[in-house]
Amino acid sequence: MSDIVKRRGMFGANTTGDTSGYGRLVVTQPAGESTPRPYGEYFDEIADELERSGFSDAIERVVVHRGEITFHVKRERLLELARTLRDEPTLRFELLSGVSGVHYPQETGSELHAVYHLLSITHNRRIRLEVGIPDADPHVDSLTPVYPTADWHERETWDFFGIVFDGHPALTRIEMPDDWVGHPQRKDYPLGGIPVEYRGAEIPPPDERRSYS
């Protein structure tokens, strides 16, 4: 694997104006390449089974980090791959436990990511699927036909990030008001806010007290 990428702080803050306490945080993550084989644990068995099932060209890369495995999947093969993960006896990932979104503005052509957490109750195994989606065409197939539990998770991911899950039975807002404009978990969404007063002091709103790069 390539060198680990390090990022310091959170929320884009790079000065002492960050009062959240996250300014000293150091985040490490793998660079954008696949982890070399062998992956270890049961991960190689899953990768081998997906290759035997004809999904070699559907998986863009595989990342093993901190004891967890993530399969980065082409979005046009996601629904087919999910069905195989659920139904193949040697895999049996019966439960989708969550769907979440990530926004990487610097990744041109793959700015939005949908992340799926799968659990095999039969084999007591966990994996993660991740799909890169262009901001200019933020569509990906809904997994509700395969995993009904995706329903509200996909609604929340659309609400916060603007990822459109095609085929979802009711893709409406679940957290924000129906007339809300924009998707507030995206990194290009303004923080806004109002000053807060307490004990005679005044704290300015977030977009005025932090410095962004």
Side-chain angles (χ1 to χ4, degrees):
M1 183 185 291
S2 300
D3 293 339
I4 295 295
V5 176
K6 288 188 177 181
R7 172 172 61 82
R8 295 182 178 276
M10 280 188 76
F11 312 114
N14 54 23
T15 71
T16 55
D18 179 8
T19 60
S20 67
Y22 284 107
R24 298 177 183 174
L25 181 68
V26 178
V27 179
T28 62
Q29 63 190 79
E33 296 182 5
S34 285
T35 300
R37 293 266 204 151
Y39 302 139
E41 298 189 51
Y42 53 80
F43 302 152
D44 291 280
E45 297 176 33
I46 296 171
D48 290 341
E49 185 57 48
L50 291 177
E51 289 180 7
R52 284 192 292 268
S53 300
F55 290 102
S56 297
D57 61 335
I59 298 173
E60 297 176 318
R61 63 191 179 101
V62 180
V63 176
V64 177
H65 186 54
R66 296 183 181 275
E68 299 181 347
I69 188 167
T70 303
F71 292 92
H72 291 255
V73 182
K74 294 180 179 178
R75 62 172 171 167
E76 59 269 20
R77 301 291 304 278
L78 174 65
L79 191 59
E80 178 188 2
L81 176 63
R83 189 171 284 111
T84 297
L85 285 167
R86 183 195 65 183
D87 296 341
E88 176 60 42
T90 57
L91 296 171
R92 285 293 188 210
F93 285 90
E94 305 99 334
L95 176 64
L96 175 78
S97 61
V99 182
S100 54
V102 192
H103 183 210
Y104 298 107
Q106 74 280 6
E107 292 190 12
T108 304
S110 185
E111 295 88 353
L112 297 168
H113 287 221
V115 184
Y116 306 84
H117 304 268
L118 302 181
L119 167 65
S120 170
I121 301 172
T122 299
H123 302 296
N124 191 25
R125 294 175 170 180
R126 295 178 185 270
I127 64 171
R128 183 185 298 113
L129 306 180
E130 188 165 339
V131 180
I133 305 163
D135 198 8
D137 180 29
H139 291 260
V140 67
D141 287 331
S142 171
L143 290 192
T144 51
V146 180
Y147 296 108
T149 53
D151 190 342
W152 284 23
H153 294 286
E154 289 181 349
R155 283 181 59 189
E156 182 179 63
T157 304
W158 174 79
D159 195 355
F160 283 157
F161 292 92
I163 298 174
V164 180
F165 295 92
D166 295 331
H168 190 282
L171 197 61
T172 57
R173 292 199 181 273
I174 191 172
E175 299 283 354
M176 310 304 293
D178 290 340
D179 59 351
W180 193 269
V181 178
H183 304 281
Q185 287 297 315
R186 293 171 55 102
K187 290 187 173 64
D188 55 4
Y189 192 86
L191 287 175
I194 60 174
V196 178
E197 294 185 8
Y198 71 100
R199 293 184 181 179
E202 181 175 297
I203 303 299
D207 57 346
E208 294 179 14
R209 71 173 182 257
R210 294 175 181 155
S211 175
Y212 294 86
S213 56

